[in-house]
Amino acid sequence: MAGAGCGGKADERIGAVAVTVRRGGGPGTPPAVIAGPADLPSCGGVIGAGYDYWIGLSARRGALPMRTDIRPQEMRSLLSRFILLDLYDGDRFELRFRLAGTRFEELQGLSLTGRYLREIYTPADYAEMAAVCREMTADPLPRYLESELRRPGREMYRVQRLLLPLAGPDGRVAHIAAFIDESPSPAGL
């Protein structure tokens, strides 16, 4: 099924938020690298549709998609669960939410668009996310992560993130597109 997407298509600080990241098989393991649809833990819903969309962009371009290839009208049903990260501020590696979908902002409990991750995440959570994004600049394959998120006074959520590399004008990874899905977490991962 080479070239086929998951669905078979060709083509303020969050210090108060408890986040436990599970990468791939469990705590402390690297994020799952997605080399093809068989590597996705779930091929349905938002994660599968997001993967299909990215694969379609890759097929159209014949290379790693660029941020400018994204067409919101082509993924209207996914927009509330879409995130676009800039990896650089000038020449400096610095993660910033270029865009954060409304559902992700609701889960986080604050507006994220335009903000630097460093000013929102705890230092440990920022370092972990930065490490994953740096890894993707050297090895531009999608990554899948799961985490638990709990805001004070709210239920715990299991959050799935599919991180998809996007090229800058020079062809190197300069942005990350992400699709998130969540479900209430009964007792943890």
Side-chain angles (χ1 to χ4, degrees):
M1 243 178 129
C6 187
K9 295 180 195 169
D11 0 325
E12 2 168 315
R13 173 174 292 282
I14 302 182
V17 175
V19 177
T20 306
V21 175
R22 304 255 178 171
R23 305 158 147 209
T29 62
V33 176
I34 309 300
D39 296 330
L40 280 173
S42 166
C43 272
V46 173
I47 300 300
Y51 183 76
D52 284 345
Y53 181 71
W54 183 81
I55 287 293
L57 293 177
S58 298
R60 275 188 251 167
R61 176 171 279 288
L64 194 61
M66 297 177 71
R67 177 183 58 83
T68 55
D69 293 330
I70 295 171
R71 301 285 179 256
Q73 66 273 19
E74 294 176 357
M75 58 172 195
R76 281 196 176 121
S77 65
L78 301 173
L79 285 176
S80 69
R81 296 169 180 279
F82 178 74
I83 299 163
L84 184 59
L85 295 177
D86 290 333
L87 301 185
Y88 297 94
D89 185 3
D91 290 338
R92 185 173 51 105
F93 185 83
E94 185 70 41
L95 305 178
R96 181 178 70 94
F97 287 105
R98 176 176 281 267
L99 175 71
T102 54
R103 181 61 188 143
F104 188 64
E105 287 186 335
E106 288 170 8
L107 285 171
Q108 298 292 340
L110 61 144
S111 177
L112 301 171
T113 298
R115 298 188 62 185
Y116 290 95
L117 275 69
R118 184 181 304 280
E119 64 186 52
I120 298 168
Y121 285 13
T122 65
D125 289 339
Y126 177 81
E128 187 167 20
M129 188 62 175
V132 171
C133 290
R134 273 191 198 280
E135 182 182 290
M136 290 177 73
T137 65
D139 181 18
L141 289 172
R143 301 300 195 275
Y144 175 84
L145 298 99
E146 288 185 5
S147 62
E148 287 186 332
L149 183 136
R150 180 193 312 261
R151 291 197 17 243
R154 291 228 171 141
E155 66 184 312
M156 184 173 287
Y157 286 94
R158 176 177 165 256
V159 180
Q160 300 170 296
R161 292 180 180 95
L162 179 63
L163 307 178
L164 304 158
L166 298 172
D170 62 1
R172 295 181 305 157
V173 175
H175 310 279
I176 302 291
F179 292 92
I180 61 120
D181 202 3
E182 90 289 333
S183 58
S185 181
L189 293 173

